[in-house]
Amino acid sequence: MVATKFDLIVIGAGPGGYVAAIRASQLGLKVAIVEREHLGGICLNWGCIPTKALLRSAEVFHLMHRAKEFGLSATGVSFDLAAVVARSRAIAKQLSGGIGHLMKKNKVTVFMGVGTMAGDGRVSVRTDKGTDELEAANVVVATGARARELPGLEADGDLVWSYRHALVAKRMPKKLLVIGSGAIGIEFASFFNTMGADTTVVEVMDRILPVEDAEIAAFAKKAFQKQGMTILEKATVKQLDRKPGVGVTAHIETGGKVETRDYDTVISAVGIVGNTEGLGLEALGVRIDRAHVVTDEYCRTGVAGVYAIGDIAAGPWLAHKASHEGVMVAELIAGGHPHPIKPNSIAGCTFCHPQIASVGLTEDKARAAGHDIKVGRFPFIGNGKAIALGESEGFIKTVFDARTGELLGAHMVGAEVTELIQGYVVARTLETTEAELIETVFPHPTLSEMMHEAVLDAYGRALHM
Ligand SMILES: Cc1cc2nc3c(=O)[nH]c(=O)nc-3n(C[C@H](O)[C@H](O)[C@H](O)COP(=O)(O)OP(=O)(O)OC[C@H]3O[C@@H](n4cnc5c(N)ncnc54)[C@H](O)[C@@H]3O)c2cc1C
């Protein structure tokens, strides 16, 4: 069969792949994209967006219960889980459809099917109707990742859920166990706990949210406990006894002692593994390490013309990192000279209640890297807008290099911090020191004033504390 020729073939239409395709097309390349399930990938269909839709329902529900505090009344507050899930699915569908329009607008040819590489830029696409053969000098692999499954803790969709099952929950858990306290686990714990599930989170590391600054994680833990969550740290789920129609007995080891606890639902959120299988990567000589493709800082795999971006490559496994790599790779292929991504300037956000956001080094990591540091903190209770919003729980922390004034890291917990963090990301990208941040005028009354105060505090100059 004669192959259809393109300049670039992208396999996988998540936020990495579809963004790479758009940018390459803007730069004049003839582009094909291959997708086996939904345009928009995990992010739009089973990740970032539908979880935020669920969490928004939980936030409104929570605020309705607080109506009296605001001089309002809301009686008989309740919810319909099917409607909450339907809203989330409708939003995912709307956005996935939007990607279809973007592909059309940018003249990217979409092939709905499973892509496999056969070497020399050839890609076979297996569809319902047969096989399409494509060819291009460059192939970007952007096939993403799926939930990690641990032996004995595998999701069954009934008693034990993966994130996909949790996103389309058909019943409301009464007693929920969440295994894993990374962003995905904590977001589901926050959603179901706010909606009324008696929720326990188990984390194998010595604290929840292990990648976050220790002080932020400790603050979040207290906030979750105040909301009624049970948090078990340095704890391992050894075994799940599943009793269909009844529930699950979990064997949880803490400090060498195993105890059993009963739940009606378990959500397993123990990480992800890259979708590296069945693509023909190994035969081409592409290196795979612990289920992710090994690349250099420009996402090159070492095999000429083959690139890997997003969740299939190294972390952080975040949608904005995938998209940024997509743009970078497209520019590289089109003959440009893009800058490689700086992992320490990629913010991480967890949309639980209270929210968590961070960029750069934690205090511990800054010290471990040998920096002499200055640390600033500012609490939400000291900010007028936070109090007016009824959101006085949280704080912002900055970490500076004492010698150079470089902003090494910023860490936040509290309302809307996922919207605030970008201010510090820009500061890091511009290689700003404390001097420019102190000089910057922050608008009043806003939560962003706390970002200023947390900088001032690092230099002993906080005004409202
Ligand atoms: C519950 C959840 C919540 C999340 N929340 C956030 C968040 O708030 N913020 C954030 O930044 N990140 C979040 N993430 C992570 C985010 O979804 C990923 O980092 C992002 O989707 C990665 O993008 P990607 O393009 O690399 O891959 P994906 O989005 O996984 O897309 C890969 C695509 O490739 C397709 N594919 C795979 N193999 C083939 C093949 N052989 N042929 C054709 N197509 C193929 C898949 O069907 C998929 O559509 C979340 C993830 C989950 C699971």
Side-chain angles (χ1 to χ4, degrees), residues 28-106:
L29 302 186
K30 187 181 172 200
V31 186
I33 193 161
V34 182
E35 171 55 50
R36 68 179 179 190
E37 193 182 1
H38 310 280
L39 297 177
I42 293 298
C43 169
L44 263 58
N45 297 285
W46 297 105
C48 321
I49 299 295
T51 47
K52 268 78 254 179
L54 293 184
L55 285 156
R56 174 70 173 153
S57 292
E59 188 182 359
V60 174
F61 187 58
H62 170 73
L63 283 173
M64 286 168 89
H65 280 104
R66 289 179 57 196
K68 218 170 154 199
E69 271 179 54
F70 297 89
L72 310 171
S73 71
T75 48
V77 174
S78 66
F79 67 90
D80 170 0
L81 183 66
V84 169
V85 169
R87 174 177 179 272
S88 164
R89 296 322 299 160
I91 290 166
K93 196 167 169 214
Q94 177 188 340
L95 290 173
S96 179
I99 304 303
H101 292 299
L102 284 175
M103 294 299 98
K104 226 180 251 166
K105 184 180 157 214
N106 286 282

Side-chain angles (χ1 to χ4, degrees), residues 11-17 34-38 40-43 46-48 51-52 113-115 142-145 163 167 184 187-188 275 279 309-312 317-320 322 349 351:
I11 309 179
V34 182
E35 171 55 50
R36 68 179 179 190
E37 193 182 1
H38 310 280
I42 293 298
C43 169
W46 297 105
C48 321
T51 47
K52 268 78 254 179
V114 180
T143 51
Y163 60 78
L167 278 166
I184 295 174
E187 286 187 5
F188 280 117
N275 293 324
L279 286 162
I309 63 171
D311 278 11
I312 196 182
W317 295 304
L318 296 166
H320 39 294
C349 296
F351 297 75

Side-chain angles (χ1 to χ4, degrees), residues 165-218:
H165 304 121
L167 278 166
V168 289
K170 291 189 179 58
R171 58 177 172 80
M172 181 61 202
K174 286 195 181 66
K175 218 159 174 261
L176 171 68
L177 171 66
V178 177
I179 310 175
S181 75
I184 295 174
I186 286 292
E187 286 187 5
F188 280 117
S190 189
F191 170 72
F192 284 112
N193 190 65
T194 305
M195 302 306 273
D198 174 359
T199 305
T200 298
V201 176
V202 170
E203 171 56 54
V204 69
M205 306 292 277
D206 59 359
R207 60 184 166 84
I208 58 162
L209 297 157
V211 301
E212 299 297 341
D213 186 272
E215 252 182 290
I216 298 283

Side-chain angles (χ1 to χ4, degrees), residues 27 68 73 82 116 123 202 210 266 279 286 306 316 324 348 405 409 415 425 443 448:
L27 292 167
K68 218 170 154 199
S73 71
T116 313
V123 172
V202 170
V266 177
L279 286 162
V286 171
V306 180
H324 204 82
V425 176
S448 74

Side-chain angles (χ1 to χ4, degrees), residues 14 35 78 124 148 170 201 210 218 228 234 247 252 289-290 293 319 368 389 392 410 438 458:
E35 171 55 50
S78 66
S124 301
R148 178 187 296 281
K170 291 189 179 58
V201 176
K234 274 200 210 162
I252 304 172
D289 180 29
R290 281 164 291 166
V293 171
L389 289 177
S392 55
I438 287 174

Side-chain angles (χ1 to χ4, degrees), residues 90 194 214 299 433:
T194 305
C299 300
T433 68

